[in-house]
Each structure stands twice: as structure tokens, then as C-alpha cells.
Amino acid sequence: MTELHLWLRHEPRTTERRTPVVPADARRLVDSGVALTVEESPQRIFPTEEYEAAGCRRAPAGSWVAAPRDTVILGLKELPDEPDELIHRHIFFGHAYKRQPGAAGLLRRFAAGGGALLDLEYLVDDAGRRLAAFGYWAGYLGAALAVLQHRGRLTAPLTPTTKDDLDAVLRPAPGDTEFTALVIGALGRSGRGASTAFRTAGVEATRWDLAETRDLDRRALLGHDVMVNAVLATSLVPPFLREEDLDSPARRLRTLCDVTCDVGGPFNVLPVYDRTTDWAEPVRHLRAEPPLDLIAIDNLPSLLPRESSTDFSAALLPQLLAFGPGGAWGRCLDRFHQACRELGIEEGESRS
């Protein structure tokens, strides 16, 4: 069997501090015979020297483009716009299978180069359950930021922190007024994280999932002060919030956090905004009177980079150790081919 060569790339997004593999798990990969090259990255929460000490090779940021063709490139978020042709197999969150903006262009780059996208969102077991995800921390941070905004304690720009420091400002303080909160998608990873953060803030949130959204009580939804959406829809469903709801006299809702950030896609359950927010400007005002504030940051777990990376890496490690043409990775590759067919993209010589 050919030795697996993984290449941990630098993340081009300046606010991305996470890593899919932490140094301790990198050592386990190397000890198991995997060759692991790690690009230099000044923003990664773990310094490159820790990977070197674990037996990894070091490479300049962005040098993956010249890696041997059989190398598997590992990352988290979006690729840079160049090169036009992607020759490698890439593991990352591609956000390209639900007709999101830019999806077709990304898949055409893979088809042109003969590479393939092994999308982490579709790394699932036989029952379709995600095998590695940041969902819990996305939900936790989404609810935490919503609480801080609602209480007037959210400051910008946002900066990475630790859970202990975050919880210290999240806990209720003298003079804080009570409020009601709603988590939609409460039974999933993100929903559980959001509910836990609300409890840390001294709030027991209303928790909705499929049963409650199947026949949505819109008036009850609008009757909460704070709402966190943790539902990532994979089929067309009636939206949870519509433009006319924002102007409803019954709206008590003042703070909205969309953890899933599916803006621009056809399955978006919150079609009341057209762009995400970010660390520099985390809040967008959707209405002035009565106010409605939106938080929609698509890399929330990077605000707790050490904790979220450690958890994710622990879940991904056994999958990387079992990397091969079948199983979960085979399902990833099948989903890539399916996405290309759905868009009418003719593939080159992508490998299995």
C-alpha cells in the first residue's frame, strides 16, 4: 500500500485560527506511518514548531499547489482563488453541494485538474451521521454572542478566547434583565451547544426540533427575545422567518443568531438577510424600531480555536488513520461525483 501523504495547509482566511489536526494527533498519524507535511501559518492556534516536534515536515504557506499529485491536501475553510486547476484530493468544508454561491466554480476547478473534493460535511457513517464536526462549538458561540449582544456586552472586533474567559463574561451579572430564548434544531450538535451556552448565561431556552418546525408556530417564535437557528436544511422547507415577520406587531424578537449561515442557498430557512457578518462587524441591524440585531458568522468555532480544534481532531483522527477508497471516504468521493453530475460538470481523471 502506498504511504499516505497528508499536507496540512495554511488557511488563507485571516480569522481562521483552527486546525483539523492538533500536534498530539499529528504525532499519532506519524507514528502510524503517515507522512504529514505542515505549512507554516502565523495565525494557527498551534505553532508549527509543535508539529515539527511531532515528526512532521515543514513547508511554506501555500506550497501545497506544488505538492506531489498523490498528496492529500487537508484544510478547513475555502481555498484561495488560484490555481484554476486543482489536481489533488482535498479534504475540507467545501460548501459546494447545495448550489451555494461559487459552488459550480469550485467544482469546475476540480474537474479541470482531475482532483477531487472530499467534503468534511459529508464524511458520514453507514447511517449518515457526521463523523467529525464543529457543530457543538458553533452553537455554543452563537448563543454566547447572542446573549452578549442582547445584554449590551458584545464588543467588536471579536478576538479568539478560551472557554473559561468566555464563560466569565457570559454568566449573569447583577442588573441583567431576564429574557426568553429559543433554539431551533435543539437536538443536533449545534443546538446542544447553544442550549448549554444559554444555561451558562442563566437562561433555560425553549428547544425546538423537527416536531415543532414541521408545523411552525410563528407567533410563538416571534414571542421570544433571542433566537438561535441551528438547523442546516438539506431540502426545501418553509422559512422560519420571512420579511413580513420582521415587521409584525407581534414581534418580540430582538436578537437573532444564524449558526448555519446558509445565506444565498436555496435551502436557507432564514431568507431575511443577504450577507454574513464577521469578526470586525459581528452584528447587522435588520430593523431599527423595534430593533432586530443579526449575528451570522460562518466560522464561529475559530473564536475558541484550541478547544474546538482539539475536539474536531480527536474525531477526525480515526478516519484519517483509516483513509482509503472505501467506507466513509468512498462515500465522500461518491458525493463529489454526484454533485458534479448534478451541475452537468464533466470530470477529468479524478482518483478514487
Side-chain angles (χ1 to χ4, degrees):
M1 179 177 177
T2 303
E3 178 188 65
L4 173 63
H5 184 187
L6 290 174
W7 192 291
L8 181 60
R9 62 175 170 86
H10 162 74
E11 298 287 335
R13 188 188 296 207
T14 57
T15 59
E16 189 50 73
R17 309 298 174 86
R18 294 172 294 173
T19 177
V21 176
V22 302
D25 292 332
R27 179 176 292 281
R28 292 185 61 186
L29 287 167
V30 171
D31 289 346
S32 297
V34 175
L36 181 54
T37 298
V38 178
E39 290 189 354
E40 298 164 348
S41 180
Q43 67 212 37
R44 189 186 294 127
I45 186 62
F46 297 95
T48 310
E49 290 75 14
E50 292 189 23
Y51 290 94
E52 284 188 297
C56 303
R57 308 168 188 174
R58 183 175 187 144
S63 57
W64 61 265
V65 296
R69 190 180 181 93
D70 286 338
T71 305
V72 179
I73 313 302
L74 177 60
L76 284 176
K77 300 296 284 187
E78 65 272 4
L79 293 171
D81 293 335
E82 299 290 337
D84 292 333
E85 298 182 359
L86 297 169
I87 67 171
H88 301 98
R89 288 167 291 177
H90 281 254
I91 299 172
F92 71 107
F93 291 100
H95 303 300
Y97 294 168
K98 294 190 298 178
R99 291 176 287 176
Q100 297 100 322
L106 175 64
L107 294 180
R108 286 193 179 95
R109 291 170 67 192
F110 280 108
L117 169 61
L118 304 177
D119 196 313
L120 286 164
E121 187 177 341
Y122 297 86
L123 183 67
V124 297
D125 65 13
D126 292 336
R129 292 183 292 262
R130 295 268 297 275
L131 292 169
F134 285 99
Y136 178 87
W137 293 109
Y140 195 95
L141 280 152
L145 295 185
V147 169
L148 296 178
Q149 173 63 18
H150 196 74
R151 288 175 171 167
R153 295 208 290 267
L154 186 64
T155 58
L158 303 178
T159 56
T161 185
T162 66
K163 183 176 182 295
D164 287 345
D165 288 345
L166 175 63
D167 287 352
V169 296
L170 186 56
R171 294 187 185 97
D176 284 341
T177 57
E178 294 185 357
F179 64 87
T180 58
L182 170 66
V183 176
I184 303 185
L187 299 183
R189 290 186 179 96
S190 293
R192 292 197 300 270
S195 298
T196 302
F198 277 125
R199 290 190 196 101
T200 302
V203 177
E204 191 60 43
T206 303
R207 303 170 75 241
W208 288 2
D209 209 271
L210 284 175
E212 293 80 10
T213 56
R214 192 174 289 116
D215 185 18
L216 189 70
D217 186 341
R218 206 171 298 276
R219 190 175 185 87
L221 183 156
L222 295 173
H224 290 83
D225 299 302
V226 178
M227 172 182 146
V228 172
N229 173 52
V231 173
L232 183 62
T234 55
S235 60
L236 292 174
V237 297
F240 299 157
L241 276 178
R242 308 160 302 183
E243 281 290 333
E244 57 263 38
D245 297 322
L246 306 192
D247 298 315
S248 168
R251 175 172 65 83
R252 181 175 169 177
L253 186 65
R254 296 294 182 266
T255 306
L256 168 65
C257 179
D258 187 9
V259 171
T260 56
C261 294
D262 206 15
V263 60
F267 306 136
N268 183 14
V269 296
L270 294 178
V272 293
Y273 71 100
D274 57 4
R275 65 183 185 276
T276 56
T277 62
D278 54 35
W279 291 19
E281 297 182 9
V283 179
R284 179 181 172 194
H285 306 296
L286 296 182
R287 290 292 187 273
E289 190 58 41
L292 178 58
D293 294 333
L294 167 74
I295 298 171
I297 298 170
D298 66 359
N299 67 333
L300 282 167
S302 195
L303 290 164
L304 288 178
R306 186 173 294 272
E307 292 90 342
S308 63
S309 295
T310 300
D311 283 357
F312 185 85
S313 179
L316 184 62
L317 175 65
Q319 308 310 317
L320 294 175
L321 290 171
F323 187 86
W329 296 109
R331 286 187 285 272
C332 275
L333 187 64
D334 290 343
R335 188 63 185 85
F336 165 72
H337 292 318
Q338 177 186 339
C340 289
R341 289 194 301 269
E342 289 171 352
L343 290 172
I345 296 173
E346 288 191 19
E347 296 180 63
E349 308 212 349
S350 56
R351 294 169 304 283
S352 60

